[in-house]
Amino acid sequence: MARRSTNEELLARALTETPPSDALSEQILDAAREQFMTHGVRRTTVDRIAGRARVSRLTVHRRIGGTDDLLAACLLREYRRFVVDMDEVVTALPGREERLVEGFVVILRYIREHPLVSGLLRIEPEVVLPLLTAQDAPVLLALRGYLTDRLSLGECARARPEADPAPAAELAVRIIVSLLLNPAGTFAVDDDERLRRLARRCLVPLLAP
């Protein structure tokens, strides 16, 4: 239970704090990311990360902190990268329906193929699952917030100001989480066109006023 609480707090911090961005901090975070992907959270230590980054343990502590701080900083950096990558696809589309459908597809693909998330799901699923499934799960809330915001921008909002995009965004994220945790079934998670048809049929109607 302590680990679940700790990881939820870490992601909550990761979504609100400013990440370190100098070259040495990036070098340390690259090493931390590799260690978390390879060994999981529990078996990763500051000494391992320092050795991988070719710096001293003291340098890691001074620049970023302990293992929890390193994990939070990694999560924050990955989320910032996620937002940039998603925006290249989602915000280029003109309407809510297109953004919802394509957002559903690309978010699912992005998370499925993400080396840190997929590595932790393989090595330590008990670390990742609470972030996706617990009450007030921070990953679910972050993804829902992102998609809701992108469905409310510019022409999308002015086209249908009375239609609240939050329910559609939440259902999209809940379906994504379900498909991530149990990809076997009728819906082929590697078939983008079938996923688009699913989104048009099940999610787009929720955008109607």
Side-chain angles (χ1 to χ4, degrees):
M1 185 65 68
R3 170 57 62 182
R4 172 183 296 185
S5 175
T6 298
N7 282 319
E8 290 176 5
E9 291 172 3
L10 286 174
L11 187 57
R13 285 174 51 199
L15 298 179
T16 57
E17 295 179 356
T18 301
S21 58
D22 60 279
L24 182 55
S25 294
E26 290 291 332
Q27 178 180 328
I28 293 169
L29 289 179
D30 287 341
R33 183 178 189 266
E34 188 274 338
Q35 291 297 305
F36 289 135
M37 286 190 302
T38 305
H39 302 290
V41 175
R42 292 194 176 107
R43 290 191 295 163
T44 293
T45 64
V46 173
D47 287 331
R48 279 181 180 265
I49 293 169
R52 183 71 180 179
R54 298 182 180 180
V55 298
S56 70
R57 176 188 178 92
L58 182 59
T59 298
V60 174
H61 275 288
R62 284 178 173 173
R63 287 282 176 166
I64 299 176
T67 306
D68 286 352
D69 300 298
L70 288 157
L71 179 58
C74 281
L75 290 171
L76 173 57
R77 191 173 65 160
E78 296 306 312
Y79 182 72
R80 297 293 174 86
R81 289 174 174 175
F82 161 83
V83 170
V84 171
D85 291 342
M86 291 302 99
D87 278 353
E88 288 183 1
V89 177
V90 175
T91 60
L93 298 171
R96 278 184 170 187
E97 289 83 357
E98 294 92 336
R99 290 187 182 190
L100 177 59
V101 170
E102 207 58 31
F104 172 76
V105 173
V106 297
I107 289 172
L108 175 57
R109 186 197 314 135
Y110 188 96
I111 299 175
R112 282 184 62 240
E113 297 175 356
H114 194 284
L116 179 58
V117 176
S118 61
L120 288 175
L121 278 171
R122 175 175 52 85
I123 297 170
E124 286 181 337
E126 69 277 11
V127 170
V128 181
L129 289 177
L131 303 178
L132 295 168
T133 61
Q135 185 177 8
D136 296 329
V139 169
L140 189 149
L141 296 178
L143 294 176
R144 184 187 68 187
Y146 168 81
L147 194 51
T148 300
D149 181 71
R150 291 335 186 248
L151 293 174
S152 304
L153 293 176
E155 291 299 325
C156 291
R158 289 192 291 273
R160 288 183 173 179
E162 73 281 15
D164 180 7
E170 178 165 340
L171 182 58
V173 173
R174 289 186 180 278
I175 294 174
I176 287 169
V177 169
S178 177
L179 293 175
L180 284 171
L181 298 181
N182 189 4
T186 304
F187 304 108
V189 295
D190 57 352
D191 187 331
D192 287 357
E193 192 50 46
R194 290 184 68 181
L195 291 172
R196 289 186 183 98
R197 290 199 296 269
L198 172 65
R200 293 187 190 103
R201 181 172 299 178
C202 298
L203 300 176
V204 168
L206 294 178
L207 294 176

